[in-house]
Amino acid sequence: MPKKFLERFHRIDFFISKKATGNPAQFAKKIDISESMLYEYLSILKEKGAPIQYDKERETYYYKIDGQFKIFFEKN
């Protein structure tokens, strides 16, 4: 998995947790990907349980509950 792939997840999570994404076009530009690629990343995060919502008035994505997305190894 390319390093850039994981860095994007980290940056997406950072902006969402700060409620500082902007609208989808702005958010994609902030992390230097296409808008369609942004939707793919958001879909993956949602599939993995991230409670991502979008506030139309504030034009930002946010987590419905406080938390952050982590990618890590867990010992059995």
Side-chain angles (χ1 to χ4, degrees), residues 35-68:
E35 202 170 328
S36 62
M37 184 63 75
L38 171 67
Y39 291 126
E40 288 185 44
Y41 276 95
L42 293 174
S43 177
I44 291 168
L45 290 169
K46 288 178 182 180
E47 286 174 14
K48 297 298 179 185
I52 299 169
Q53 300 286 313
Y54 183 73
D55 185 326
K56 290 180 184 179
E57 287 182 23
R58 290 183 170 171
E59 291 192 327
T60 191
Y61 287 95
Y62 66 97
Y63 290 126
K64 191 174 178 180
I65 57 174
D66 287 336
Q68 63 184 152

Side-chain angles (χ1 to χ4, degrees), residues 6-76:
L6 293 176
E7 287 173 1
R8 284 185 183 138
F9 273 115
H10 177 71
R11 292 185 70 208
I12 290 168
D13 174 65
F14 173 79
F15 285 115
I16 292 173
S17 66
K18 298 295 182 195
K19 300 177 184 166
T21 67
N23 64 39
Q26 293 166 332
F27 193 14
K29 189 173 182 176
K30 282 182 181 184
I31 55 177
D32 196 30
I33 60 173
S34 69
E35 202 170 328
S36 62
M37 184 63 75
L38 171 67
Y39 291 126
E40 288 185 44
Y41 276 95
L42 293 174
S43 177
I44 291 168
L45 290 169
K46 288 178 182 180
E47 286 174 14
K48 297 298 179 185
I52 299 169
Q53 300 286 313
Y54 183 73
D55 185 326
K56 290 180 184 179
E57 287 182 23
R58 290 183 170 171
E59 291 192 327
T60 191
Y61 287 95
Y62 66 97
Y63 290 126
K64 191 174 178 180
I65 57 174
D66 287 336
Q68 63 184 152
F69 196 82
K70 299 213 179 216
I71 300 173
F72 59 89
F73 174 82
E74 184 172 288
K75 184 180 174 184
N76 290 330

